[in-house]
């Protein structure tokens, strides 16, 4: 067998060291993925806990039979909008990283978060949204029948 040429020796050295770089790159990617996964799981977890606390305060102030103060209504309106907005951002992050499944860690998955954000949007419209007269008539017509007179307001 002939002695290897200089080019063959250089190629062999590159091949032997290439694995080191590939393994290093894979390790870095795995660490980055795990960090991203931990970040998303932690963020969703804190969001859900914050939302539960918000709902508790909401029940104690806004949904109390007594009339809530203007300050309570202002806090409620602002925080409701913030929670809805943050939920939208979390959904966008989860869509961007759909390979990350948060449900095994939290028992709360993407569909649950999407439903929660939709519920917040509905609550926001229910408490603070304005309805046009045309939309009000459309809804009353759907509920009470199109040809019948709508009930007195």
């Amino acid at each position: 067998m002939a002695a290897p040429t200089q080019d063959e020796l250089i190629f062999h050295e590159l091949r032997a060291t290439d694995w080191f770089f590939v393994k290093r790159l894979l390790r870095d990617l795995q660490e980055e993925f795990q960090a991203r996964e931990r970040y998303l799981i932690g963020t969703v977890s804190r969001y859900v806990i914050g939302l539960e606390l918000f709902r508790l305060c909401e029940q104690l102030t806004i949904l109390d039979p007594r009339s809530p103060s203007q300050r309570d209504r202002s806090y409620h309106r602002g925080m409701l909008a913030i929670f809805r907005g943050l939920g939208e951002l979390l959904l966008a992050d989860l869509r961007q990283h759909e390979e990350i499944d948060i449900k095994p860690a939290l028992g709360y998955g993407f569909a649950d978060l999407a439903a929660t954000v939709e519920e917040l949007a509905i609550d926001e419209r229910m408490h603070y949204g304005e309805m046009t007269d045309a939309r009000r008539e459309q809804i009353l017509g759907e509920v009470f029948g199109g040809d019948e007179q709508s009930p007195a307001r």
Side-chain angles (χ1 to χ4, degrees):
M1 183 172 250
T5 66
Q6 185 66 26
D7 288 339
E8 290 172 331
L9 286 174
I10 291 172
F11 179 74
H12 177 71
E13 288 174 22
L14 286 175
R15 285 186 54 212
T17 57
D18 279 348
W19 288 113
F20 169 79
F21 294 112
V22 171
K23 289 188 328 188
R24 175 65 190 231
L25 177 62
L26 285 175
R27 189 188 79 214
D28 291 349
L29 287 172
Q30 286 173 326
E31 287 174 2
E32 182 181 327
F33 180 80
Q34 290 169 345
R36 186 178 310 129
E37 184 175 27
R38 283 190 306 271
Y39 170 77
L40 278 174
I41 288 170
T43 303
V44 172
S45 176
R46 288 187 303 276
Y47 176 82
V48 170
I49 290 168
L51 189 56
E52 288 173 356
L53 182 59
F54 169 76
R55 290 298 195 192
L56 177 63
C57 291
E58 180 182 54
Q59 288 175 358
L60 296 174
T61 58
I62 298 298
L63 302 178
D64 187 25
R66 296 170 292 159
S67 179
S69 70
Q70 185 57 43
R71 182 173 183 242
D72 285 336
R73 288 188 60 74
S74 295
Y75 273 100
H76 181 258
R77 185 176 190 167
M79 289 182 188
L80 184 60
I82 290 169
F83 273 108
R84 184 193 43 76
L86 289 175
E88 292 286 349
L89 293 175
L90 276 176
L91 288 172
D93 281 350
L94 289 169
R95 276 188 205 101
Q96 186 177 1
H97 303 291
E98 61 186 28
E99 72 279 3
I100 297 175
D101 185 10
I102 61 171
K103 191 158 189 151
L106 299 175
Y108 191 90
F110 181 87
D112 301 310
L113 182 61
T116 297
V117 171
E118 179 62 25
E119 181 182 345
L120 289 167
I122 290 168
D123 285 355
E124 196 172 15
R125 285 190 303 268
M126 178 181 72
H127 285 287
Y128 306 105
E130 297 181 17
M131 187 179 299
T132 64
D133 288 337
R135 179 69 177 136
R136 181 178 290 110
E137 290 302 318
Q138 177 190 2
I139 291 171
L140 289 173
E142 290 172 4
V143 172
F144 296 107
D147 296 334
E148 298 177 20
Q149 289 286 355
S150 60
R153 285 180 231 150

